[in-house]
Amino acid sequence: MRNARKIEIFALVIFFVALFLQATLVFYSNVISSESYESTKLKVDIKELGENNLSLKTQILQYTSLEHISSRGAELGFVKARSYISLFSPAQIAINQ
Amino acid sequence: MRVRIAAIAVILFSLYIVVLVRLFYWQVVREADLRGIARAQSSDSIEFPARRGEILFKDGFPLATNKVSYLLYANPKIIKDTDLYAKKLAFHLDLSSASISAALSKDLFWVKLAGSVEVEKKKSIETLELKGLGFSEQSSRFYPEASMAAQLIGFAGFDEKGSQKGYFGLEGYYNSQLSGRDGRLFAIRDTLGNLILNDVREEKKLDGRNLHLSVDRAIQFIAEKELKAGIERYQAEGGSVIVMEPMSGKILSMASFPRFDPQKYYEFDTAYYRNPVISNLYEPGSTFKVLVMGAALDSSVVKPETKCLSCSGPIQIGEYKIKTWNEKYYPEASMTEVIQHSDNTGMVFVGQKLGLKKLLYYLSQFGIGELTNIDLQGEITGDLKSASALYPIDLATMSFGQGISVTPIQLITAVSSIANGGEIVTPYIVEMITTSDEKKIEIKPVKKRRVLSKTTSKILVELMVNAVENGEAKWTKLDKYKIAGKTGTAQIPIAGHYDPDQTIASFVGFFPADDPKVSMLVVVDRPKTRVYGSETAAPIFFSIARQVIQYLNIPPDR
């Protein structure tokens, strides 16, 4: 009788341990697959941002080219300065802008 | 019984020998063939294209760089409604729906629909969610300054294998440095097609090297702007400007019109790809006089105050009569005045004093008739004939720059020797190369040889300053700066005679005269509204000079 009880308790312990381990397995599998999903999503985002980055770099180069600045400046009505000041040695002046 | 056993043994032994012989045949005799077949079946290679090196202005701004683009491909086998696909894609790709439909109708698993698709277009095509399409990343060449310095850069096209290759200019000359080396991964696949990763051989990718130019973006812009305006004003066929550092040979600017767009080089006639600065020969006219005068002064056959004894009228040489450009004559003109008035008869006097052999010697020392070895693809040179092949009339005409052909780069290199104290330097454009692992390779100036003494070059500088101050171009000079220069108006030879109506107008000079930072040559090809160098090339020269002086903050020397 005692032995049978012991076996019962042992079987229950085994059952609950197995249940616990299974639950843990399910939990961590879920964590891994969600992180894996997030990781894949991040990789896609990184790739897209990389593409946008390159596209923006190209645009920056275009907009900062002298050809573009010159034509845009002409459109906006900028004209060449008629005279200029060059200082070839220090001078005690202050320019009020 | 024993006989039967022996017979069976012999038969079995024979069979064994046959198997051995066949094994020997397949494993030894046919070994090479079978190894090749096995390798072809099981091995694989994956390519990693190298990034093409950039070409950068002096300030680091890219003249040529790379941008990501995409190749759009399709699998026609899984596309049912080709007309719908063609209609939708034609709008995004700027292609005809007929050409797309034709590609999609092919009985293939893979067809190319479009190359060099921009990132934005790729995204808009992806939103269509059309099955059976895919994108493969490519790198395509991008020129942010559009057509600026087009003939200087050249362009990156494709060779017969479809690999990117540079043609003309810097892209052509430095193609092997810019290309780098593609990477490759060699692996074996198992019967299921999976890579066996511990049996992999790799050839590492080597990205192309970057070229750092001596060309200044602002000076290039100024030169192109003024040259274009001048060509339009004088209704010329074209023109070129070269700006150089006379001490080092570094090119600060090289501009030519008409030009092409290196991004869309295929839309232009191949004639536009030629760089006239290095690939066009022309008779330089009066700008050449400074070289001949330099030779005469250096040989001590004349001095600045030597009087011309044959300048009172036209000079007869055989059946030819040599006149001045404006039919004005200055009897007993000094050599200073001969350069000031650009007097052809005075130069004939100088040439005759120098003699043909000495003249040819000095011209060869100046680099006439030899390549300058500038680092650009496509340089040519004219011939400098030997004395035995020339006649007295040739000596006379060469003395004032006709009957001899030079390229603009040869002329500016020769005149720069006057500016730098008498030494011929090799002109060059790339001043540094950086490797993919950021190692720097500096290109140092090369001095080829001394052609004039320092004293002679100083005297010649004064003659050229006087030519600017008191010569035909004095109306356009800069007041606060001493600039040395010489105008040129050369007739164009056509079928054995000279065209009476058309000219090549030019102006060559350097500044500040006493400590030259910049030498420059302006060539205007066949101007129509005015034909003389003093009226066309000289104003362009001084307009550029004014702005370059401001940009470089060169203080006045007067």
Side-chain angles (χ1 to χ4, degrees):
Chain A
M1 191 71 181
R2 245 183 174 174
N3 279 343
R5 187 93 184 125
K6 273 186 190 172
I7 290 166
E8 252 181 49
I9 292 166
F10 185 68
L12 271 171
V13 166
I14 297 290
F15 173 72
F16 282 113
V17 165
L19 194 64
F20 173 74
L21 286 173
Q22 190 61 35
T24 310
L25 181 68
V26 167
F27 175 74
Y28 280 110
S29 295
N30 187 49
V31 165
I32 288 166
S33 60
S34 333
E35 280 183 357
S36 165
Y37 170 75
E38 289 295 328
S39 158
T40 307
K41 203 164 159 301
L42 276 170
K43 279 183 185 166
V44 168
D45 287 345
I46 288 169
K47 194 168 185 294
E48 209 177 292
L49 286 169
E51 278 179 5
N52 288 343
N53 198 23
L54 286 167
S55 174
L56 285 169
K57 272 186 183 171
T58 304
Q59 280 183 40
I60 288 169
L61 287 176
Q62 266 175 325
Y63 290 134
T64 53
S65 69
L66 289 179
E67 296 277 345
H68 177 81
I69 291 168
S70 167
S71 61
R72 192 75 184 107
E75 276 171 32
L76 292 170
F78 283 92
V79 293
K80 205 164 85 170
R82 283 194 195 152
S83 62
Y84 62 94
I85 297 169
S86 281
L87 296 176
F88 297 107
S89 52
Q92 290 190 6
I93 59 169
I95 299 172
N96 186 18
Q97 287 190 321
Chain B
M1 187 69 180
R2 272 188 190 167
V3 169
R4 280 183 202 167
I5 291 167
I8 290 166
V10 165
I11 290 167
L12 284 174
F13 185 71
S14 305
L15 286 172
Y16 178 64
I17 295 295
V18 165
V19 168
L20 266 182
V21 165
R22 285 307 279 175
L23 279 173
F24 180 82
Y25 173 73
W26 286 114
Q27 291 184 346
V28 177
V29 173
R30 293 288 307 276
E31 183 262 341
D33 297 340
L34 294 175
R35 184 193 290 275
I37 294 168
R39 196 167 275 162
Q41 279 176 349
S42 63
S43 65
D44 198 5
S45 71
I46 305 164
E47 256 193 36
F48 302 99
R51 187 187 59 87
R52 192 171 177 83
E54 292 181 308
I55 301 175
L56 307 165
F57 278 113
K58 199 181 182 70
D59 63 357
F61 191 89
L63 186 49
T65 183
N66 305 298
K67 62 176 180 179
V68 172
S69 60
Y70 296 88
L71 184 142
L72 171 63
Y73 60 86
N75 181 353
K77 297 270 188 197
I78 64 171
I79 293 171
K80 306 271 186 282
D81 193 346
T82 56
D83 288 334
L84 175 70
Y85 273 57
K87 207 172 155 185
K88 286 189 173 181
L89 290 172
F91 172 73
H92 291 276
L93 295 173
D94 294 329
L95 292 172
S96 69
S97 55
S99 62
I100 298 173
S101 193
L104 293 175
S105 306
K106 288 184 181 168
D107 185 22
L108 295 168
F109 286 100
W110 187 99
V111 291
K112 175 185 162 182
L113 293 180
S116 301
V117 176
E118 309 275 336
V119 172
E120 293 76 26
K121 271 193 186 161
K122 172 188 177 256
K123 284 183 181 167
S124 61
I125 292 170
E126 281 173 339
T127 58
L128 299 173
E129 291 182 349
L130 296 171
K131 287 202 172 81
L133 299 181
F135 290 94
S136 150
E137 200 174 289
Q138 282 181 321
S139 176
S140 57
R141 209 61 167 154
F142 172 51
Y143 303 96
E145 289 284 3
S147 299
M148 186 190 277
Q151 283 100 340
L152 180 69
I153 320 169
F155 59 87
F158 297 93
D159 62 15
E160 51 282 344
K161 291 177 195 166
S163 308
Q164 205 170 39
K165 186 181 170 185
Y167 296 90
F168 297 91
L170 293 166
E171 294 270 27
Y173 189 90
Y174 285 99
N175 183 60
S176 58
Q177 305 240 29
L178 289 166
S179 300
R181 192 183 65 222
D182 293 342
R184 214 162 267 169
L185 196 70
F186 297 95
I188 306 286
R189 289 190 185 275
D190 63 16
T191 49
L192 298 175
N194 302 313
L195 282 175
I196 301 171
L197 292 175
N198 62 349
D199 194 9
V200 157
R201 186 168 58 87
E202 190 187 0
E203 273 177 14
K204 279 212 161 97
K205 180 182 77 155
L206 197 66
D207 284 333
R209 294 175 169 187
N210 293 339
L211 308 180
H212 299 257
L213 309 187
S214 56
V215 175
D216 189 297
R217 186 162 66 124
I219 297 178
Q220 182 72 27
F221 180 79
I222 291 165
E224 293 206 358
K225 183 169 63 87
E226 295 302 326
L227 179 62
K228 187 177 175 214
I231 287 169
E232 283 167 5
R233 196 180 315 126
Y234 308 121
Q235 291 172 33
E237 295 294 319
S240 297
V241 171
I242 315 118
V243 183
M244 192 164 135
E245 250 183 31
M247 301 306 276
S248 62
K250 288 183 185 181
I251 300 292
L252 301 176
S253 164
M254 188 182 286
S256 292
F257 279 86
R259 57 185 187 178
F260 67 99
D261 183 353
Q263 199 77 56
K264 298 175 192 168
Y265 62 90
Y266 40 83
E267 291 180 6
F268 293 81
D269 192 273
T270 52
Y272 286 90
Y273 304 158
R274 275 170 71 93
N275 186 344
V277 172
I278 59 168
S279 302
N280 276 13
L281 288 167
Y282 76 111
E283 294 193 9
S286 299
T287 49
F288 203 68
K289 289 173 180 168
V290 298
L291 304 184
V292 177
M293 186 62 78
L297 289 167
D298 202 61
S299 311
S300 304
V301 299
V302 296
K303 292 178 189 171
E305 55 275 11
T306 301
K307 303 281 182 215
C308 170
L309 302 174
S310 51
C311 286
S312 48
I315 296 177
Q316 192 75 32
I317 296 176
E319 63 194 87
Y320 303 100
K321 195 181 267 187
I322 308 290
K323 297 188 234 181
T324 59
W325 66 276
N326 55 358
E327 306 247 30
K328 282 185 185 167
Y329 298 91
Y330 305 89
E332 297 201 338
S334 67
M335 297 300 101
T336 306
E337 286 164 332
V338 164
I339 293 292
Q340 177 187 319
H341 299 309
S342 201
D343 189 338
N344 290 349
T345 56
M347 287 312 302
V348 171
F349 169 79
V350 170
Q352 286 171 341
K353 288 282 261 183
L354 189 56
L356 193 55
K357 278 199 173 129
K358 268 204 182 143
L359 174 63
L360 291 173
Y361 168 76
Y362 270 96
L363 291 183
S364 70
Q365 291 294 100
F366 272 120
I368 308 301
E370 73 175 29
L371 297 171
T372 63
N373 293 321
I374 190 171
D375 49 344
L376 287 173
Q377 197 177 63
E379 190 188 7
I380 65 169
T381 179
D383 287 324
L384 192 60
K385 288 182 186 167
S386 61
S388 55
L390 296 168
Y391 296 94
I393 187 61
D394 297 310
L395 170 62
T397 55
M398 275 163 57
S399 302
F400 53 85
Q402 300 267 195
I404 185 162
S405 296
V406 298
T407 57
I409 192 65
Q410 282 175 327
L411 186 67
I412 187 65
T413 303
V415 171
S416 292
S417 70
I418 301 170
N420 70 20
E423 290 182 303
I424 294 289
V425 292
T426 300
Y428 67 108
I429 293 168
V430 174
E431 58 180 8
M432 189 169 68
I433 298 174
T434 49
T435 63
S436 52
D437 55 358
E438 317 230 336
K439 205 170 96 180
K440 290 179 185 172
I441 304 166
E442 268 197 56
I443 314 292
K444 299 239 185 302
V446 172
K447 289 190 178 163
K448 270 185 183 165
R449 57 183 169 263
R450 175 166 288 284
V451 58
L452 300 172
S453 68
K454 284 187 181 171
T455 312
T456 305
S457 64
K458 272 197 176 142
I459 296 169
L460 208 38
V461 168
E462 289 309 315
L463 260 59
M464 290 174 73
V465 168
N466 181 67
V468 169
E469 296 293 308
N470 300 305
E472 35 181 332
K474 64 184 177 189
W475 65 277
T476 188
K477 68 181 169 91
L478 304 182
D479 290 331
K480 295 192 176 119
Y481 293 87
K482 252 173 87 177
I483 295 182
K486 183 73 191 73
T487 56
T489 308
Q491 290 183 291
I492 301 172
I494 297 174
H497 67 277
Y498 285 104
D499 190 321
D501 300 318
Q502 297 191 95
T503 63
I504 293 183
S506 55
F507 191 94
V508 69
F510 46 87
F511 51 89
D514 296 329
D515 181 23
K517 301 276 186 289
V518 172
S519 59
M520 182 178 7
L521 168 65
V522 176
V523 179
V524 181
D525 184 14
R526 286 166 283 174
K528 290 180 185 56
T529 58
R530 292 172 191 277
V531 299
Y532 293 107
S534 58
E535 296 169 327
T536 54
I540 297 173
F541 178 100
F542 287 106
S543 195
I544 296 170
R546 191 175 293 114
Q547 293 172 73
V548 169
I549 282 167
Q550 181 186 348
Y551 173 69
L552 295 177
N553 226 17
I554 299 174
D557 52 359
R558 267 209 267 250

